[in-house]
Amino acid sequence: MGKSKGKEMLIWTPEEYKDFSFAIMDNPVSFYAFEMLYWTGIRLGELLALTPEAFDFEKGTVTIDKSYQRLKRRDVVTTPKSDGSIRVIVMPDFLRDEMKEYIEKLYKIGKDERLFLVSKSQMHREMSRGCEEAGLKRIRIHDLRHSHVSLLIHLGYSAVAIGKRMGHESEKITYMYAHLFPSEQKDMGNKLNKLREETA
């Protein structure tokens, strides 16, 4: 855990993210947006495409089936780049409650209207502001996704389980984050030694 530099990958621990979230709490839109990014690992385009109908607060889930981008000065919402990117993510209870609270604050928002009417450049500016105010090394917004994967690896989840949550094939998770997974090779050697001793 901690800042890990594998393939230009920078990672925040939960403690570092907490410091960042306190620094941006004065801007509710930024706070709720970054909460979703860190605690679910979704992509920025997926975040910006979210609508109220994506959330099921009884089940505590959010459905990721759209992505937002700005093309030729127009807002474009498309389906994700692959079928594997379409997924249902279970949120931690605190995040479910936060998002319910956020949506309730948005006066008369339609169920298919975007929740975060901010640009990617605004999000990048808020990232810089939060890092500066919290005294943190600047990471990219996409590194929050890497941070989420790191957190799940630290909690002991397999590449298959993490891949489903992130919308990636497990092979890609294994390849991209191999340096973060605990090494099983030494454990294998020890167990084979033990087995040999028991049968000697």
Side-chain angles (χ1 to χ4, degrees), residues 32-62:
Y32 291 112
F34 281 107
E35 284 285 275
M36 282 297 295
L37 290 170
Y38 186 82
W39 295 109
T40 65
I42 61 176
R43 301 172 179 94
L44 181 55
E46 293 170 339
L47 170 89
L48 297 178
L50 286 176
T51 59
E53 67 185 354
F55 293 85
D56 183 330
F57 292 114
E58 281 186 27
K59 293 179 181 172
T61 62
V62 57

Side-chain angles (χ1 to χ4, degrees), residues 159-160 163 168-178 181:
V160 174
H168 269 322
E169 296 296 322
S170 58
E171 293 86 356
K172 189 166 184 185
I173 292 288
T174 305
Y175 174 74
M176 285 175 68
Y177 301 97
F181 279 98

Side-chain angles (χ1 to χ4, degrees), residues 39-40 60 90-97 165:
W39 295 109
T40 65
V90 177
M91 297 176 286
D93 290 348
F94 71 84
L95 183 61
R96 176 202 60 201
D97 296 343
R165 186 172 178 88

Side-chain angles (χ1 to χ4, degrees), residues 19-94:
D19 290 343
F20 170 82
S21 68
F22 277 141
I24 57 158
M25 211 174 263
D26 59 333
N27 183 334
V29 175
S30 295
F31 173 75
Y32 291 112
F34 281 107
E35 284 285 275
M36 282 297 295
L37 290 170
Y38 186 82
W39 295 109
T40 65
I42 61 176
R43 301 172 179 94
L44 181 55
E46 293 170 339
L47 170 89
L48 297 178
L50 286 176
T51 59
E53 67 185 354
F55 293 85
D56 183 330
F57 292 114
E58 281 186 27
K59 293 179 181 172
T61 62
V62 57
T63 298
I64 305 300
D65 59 5
K66 292 185 280 293
S67 188
Y68 165 89
Q69 50 187 319
R70 185 91 176 152
L71 291 174
K72 296 178 183 174
R73 292 191 287 185
R74 285 178 58 239
D75 293 336
V76 179
V77 176
T78 59
T79 52
K81 50 187 173 184
S82 71
D83 288 344
S85 293
I86 297 172
R87 61 208 187 275
V88 177
I89 296 172
V90 177
M91 297 176 286
D93 290 348
F94 71 84

Side-chain angles (χ1 to χ4, degrees), residues 3 10-13 16-17 19-21 23-27 29-31 33-35 37-38 44 47 118-147:
K3 285 176 186 161
L10 291 168
I11 286 163
W12 274 350
T13 63
E16 287 170 314
Y17 173 72
D19 290 343
F20 170 82
S21 68
I24 57 158
M25 211 174 263
D26 59 333
N27 183 334
V29 175
S30 295
F31 173 75
F34 281 107
E35 284 285 275
L37 290 170
Y38 186 82
L44 181 55
L47 170 89
V118 292
S119 66
K120 290 185 178 183
S121 60
Q122 284 172 299
M123 290 290 290
H124 288 294
R125 280 197 296 275
E126 280 295 270
M127 187 79 174
S128 296
R129 178 177 76 92
C131 290
E132 193 173 330
E133 289 185 20
L136 292 167
K137 182 171 181 171
R138 174 73 157 86
I139 67 171
R140 300 166 306 170
I141 289 177
H142 195 73
D143 287 321
L144 295 175
R145 186 166 160 84
H146 298 316
S147 298

Side-chain angles (χ1 to χ4, degrees), residues 181-195:
F181 279 98
S183 174
E184 294 175 334
Q185 290 296 326
K186 193 166 184 184
D187 188 51
M188 284 177 195
N190 290 339
K191 283 185 177 165
L192 289 168
N193 264 334
K194 196 174 175 194
L195 186 70

